[in-house]
PDB file of all heavy atoms in Angstrom:
ATOM      1  N   PHE A 111      93.189 117.074 109.073  1.00  0.00           N
ATOM      2  CA  PHE A 111      94.622 117.114 109.334  1.00  0.00           C
ATOM      3  C   PHE A 111      95.325 116.001 108.556  1.00  0.00           C
ATOM      4  O   PHE A 111      94.812 114.873 108.494  1.00  0.00           O
ATOM      5  CB  PHE A 111      94.906 116.912 110.826  1.00  0.00           C
ATOM      6  CG  PHE A 111      94.654 118.122 111.687  1.00  0.00           C
ATOM      7  CD1 PHE A 111      94.749 118.038 113.066  1.00  0.00           C
ATOM      8  CD2 PHE A 111      94.334 119.358 111.139  1.00  0.00           C
ATOM      9  CE1 PHE A 111      94.519 119.143 113.880  1.00  0.00           C
ATOM     10  CE2 PHE A 111      94.108 120.475 111.931  1.00  0.00           C
ATOM     11  CZ  PHE A 111      94.200 120.353 113.300  1.00  0.00           C
ATOM     12  N   PRO A 112      96.498 116.288 107.992  1.00  0.00           N
ATOM     13  CA  PRO A 112      97.316 115.193 107.451  1.00  0.00           C
ATOM     14  C   PRO A 112      97.646 114.198 108.561  1.00  0.00           C
ATOM     15  O   PRO A 112      97.594 114.534 109.745  1.00  0.00           O
ATOM     16  CB  PRO A 112      98.586 115.913 106.961  1.00  0.00           C
ATOM     17  CG  PRO A 112      98.190 117.347 106.819  1.00  0.00           C
ATOM     18  CD  PRO A 112      97.145 117.606 107.846  1.00  0.00           C
ATOM     19  N   LYS A 113      98.015 112.994 108.199  1.00  0.00           N
ATOM     20  CA  LYS A 113      98.209 111.923 109.187  1.00  0.00           C
ATOM     21  C   LYS A 113      99.198 112.303 110.277  1.00  0.00           C
ATOM     22  O   LYS A 113      98.921 112.133 111.469  1.00  0.00           O
ATOM     23  CB  LYS A 113      98.671 110.647 108.476  1.00  0.00           C
ATOM     24  CG  LYS A 113      97.661 110.095 107.501  1.00  0.00           C
ATOM     25  CD  LYS A 113      98.220 108.911 106.722  1.00  0.00           C
ATOM     26  CE  LYS A 113      97.230 108.413 105.690  1.00  0.00           C
ATOM     27  NZ  LYS A 113      97.769 107.305 104.881  1.00  0.00           N
ATOM     28  N   VAL A 114     100.366 112.813 109.878  1.00  0.00           N
ATOM     29  CA  VAL A 114     101.395 113.115 110.884  1.00  0.00           C
ATOM     30  C   VAL A 114     100.940 114.240 111.817  1.00  0.00           C
ATOM     31  O   VAL A 114     101.196 114.200 113.029  1.00  0.00           O
ATOM     32  CB  VAL A 114     102.751 113.464 110.225  1.00  0.00           C
ATOM     33  CG1 VAL A 114     103.345 112.249 109.554  1.00  0.00           C
ATOM     34  CG2 VAL A 114     102.596 114.611 109.217  1.00  0.00           C
ATOM     35  N   LEU A 115     100.247 115.227 111.262  1.00  0.00           N
ATOM     36  CA  LEU A 115      99.769 116.325 112.096  1.00  0.00           C
ATOM     37  C   LEU A 115      98.614 115.861 112.976  1.00  0.00           C
ATOM     38  O   LEU A 115      98.491 116.283 114.130  1.00  0.00           O
ATOM     39  CB  LEU A 115      99.330 117.503 111.225  1.00  0.00           C
ATOM     40  CG  LEU A 115      98.964 118.793 111.972  1.00  0.00           C
ATOM     41  CD1 LEU A 115     100.136 119.289 112.810  1.00  0.00           C
ATOM     42  CD2 LEU A 115      98.523 119.879 110.995  1.00  0.00           C
ATOM     43  N   GLY A 116      97.788 114.938 112.446  1.00  0.00           N
ATOM     44  CA  GLY A 116      96.699 114.391 113.249  1.00  0.00           C
ATOM     45  C   GLY A 116      97.211 113.632 114.458  1.00  0.00           C
ATOM     46  O   GLY A 116      96.682 113.765 115.566  1.00  0.00           O
ATOM     47  N   SER A 117      98.267 112.830 114.258  1.00  0.00           N
ATOM     48  CA  SER A 117      98.851 112.095 115.389  1.00  0.00           C
ATOM     49  C   SER A 117      99.520 113.038 116.375  1.00  0.00           C
ATOM     50  O   SER A 117      99.416 112.865 117.591  1.00  0.00           O
ATOM     51  CB  SER A 117      99.871 111.063 114.877  1.00  0.00           C
ATOM     52  OG  SER A 117      99.219 109.999 114.229  1.00  0.00           O
ATOM     53  N   PHE A 118     100.207 114.061 115.853  1.00  0.00           N
ATOM     54  CA  PHE A 118     100.868 115.029 116.734  1.00  0.00           C
ATOM     55  C   PHE A 118      99.840 115.779 117.566  1.00  0.00           C
ATOM     56  O   PHE A 118     100.053 116.020 118.768  1.00  0.00           O
ATOM     57  CB  PHE A 118     101.706 116.001 115.901  1.00  0.00           C
ATOM     58  CG  PHE A 118     102.498 116.977 116.720  1.00  0.00           C
ATOM     59  CD1 PHE A 118     103.587 116.569 117.463  1.00  0.00           C
ATOM     60  CD2 PHE A 118     102.138 118.323 116.745  1.00  0.00           C
ATOM     61  CE1 PHE A 118     104.319 117.482 118.228  1.00  0.00           C
ATOM     62  CE2 PHE A 118     102.860 119.240 117.500  1.00  0.00           C
ATOM     63  CZ  PHE A 118     103.953 118.816 118.247  1.00  0.00           C
ATOM     64  N   ALA A 119      98.723 116.152 116.954  1.00  0.00           N
ATOM     65  CA  ALA A 119      97.657 116.841 117.686  1.00  0.00           C
ATOM     66  C   ALA A 119      97.098 115.940 118.780  1.00  0.00           C
ATOM     67  O   ALA A 119      96.873 116.378 119.918  1.00  0.00           O
ATOM     68  CB  ALA A 119      96.547 117.262 116.728  1.00  0.00           C
ATOM     69  N   ALA A 120      96.873 114.658 118.453  1.00  0.00           N
ATOM     70  CA  ALA A 120      96.335 113.716 119.435  1.00  0.00           C
ATOM     71  C   ALA A 120      97.302 113.531 120.603  1.00  0.00           C
ATOM     72  O   ALA A 120      96.893 113.512 121.778  1.00  0.00           O
ATOM     73  CB  ALA A 120      96.055 112.372 118.768  1.00  0.00           C
ATOM     74  N   GLN A 121      98.601 113.421 120.303  1.00  0.00           N
ATOM     75  CA  GLN A 121      99.594 113.236 121.359  1.00  0.00           C
ATOM     76  C   GLN A 121      99.707 114.477 122.237  1.00  0.00           C
ATOM     77  O   GLN A 121      99.839 114.372 123.467  1.00  0.00           O
ATOM     78  CB  GLN A 121     100.948 112.906 120.720  1.00  0.00           C
ATOM     79  CG  GLN A 121     100.982 111.552 120.047  1.00  0.00           C
ATOM     80  CD  GLN A 121     102.080 111.443 118.997  1.00  0.00           C
ATOM     81  OE1 GLN A 121     102.926 112.330 118.863  1.00  0.00           O
ATOM     82  NE2 GLN A 121     102.059 110.356 118.237  1.00  0.00           N
ATOM     83  N   THR A 122      99.628 115.642 121.619  1.00  0.00           N
ATOM     84  CA  THR A 122      99.710 116.889 122.380  1.00  0.00           C
ATOM     85  C   THR A 122      98.519 117.038 123.318  1.00  0.00           C
ATOM     86  O   THR A 122      98.677 117.356 124.505  1.00  0.00           O
ATOM     87  CB  THR A 122      99.774 118.089 121.421  1.00  0.00           C
ATOM     88  OG1 THR A 122     100.927 117.962 120.574  1.00  0.00           O
ATOM     89  CG2 THR A 122      99.866 119.404 122.195  1.00  0.00           C
ATOM     90  N   LEU A 123      97.325 116.775 122.809  1.00  0.00           N
ATOM     91  CA  LEU A 123      96.120 116.901 123.625  1.00  0.00           C
ATOM     92  C   LEU A 123      96.083 115.836 124.721  1.00  0.00           C
ATOM     93  O   LEU A 123      95.667 116.108 125.850  1.00  0.00           O
ATOM     94  CB  LEU A 123      94.880 116.790 122.737  1.00  0.00           C
ATOM     95  CG  LEU A 123      94.620 117.996 121.835  1.00  0.00           C
ATOM     96  CD1 LEU A 123      93.575 117.661 120.781  1.00  0.00           C
ATOM     97  CD2 LEU A 123      94.180 119.202 122.657  1.00  0.00           C
TER      98      LEU A 123
END
Side-chain angles (χ1 to χ4, degrees):
F111 283 174
K113 297 174 183 177
V114 292
L115 187 58
S117 289
F118 184 71
Q121 292 158 8
T122 301
L123 288 167

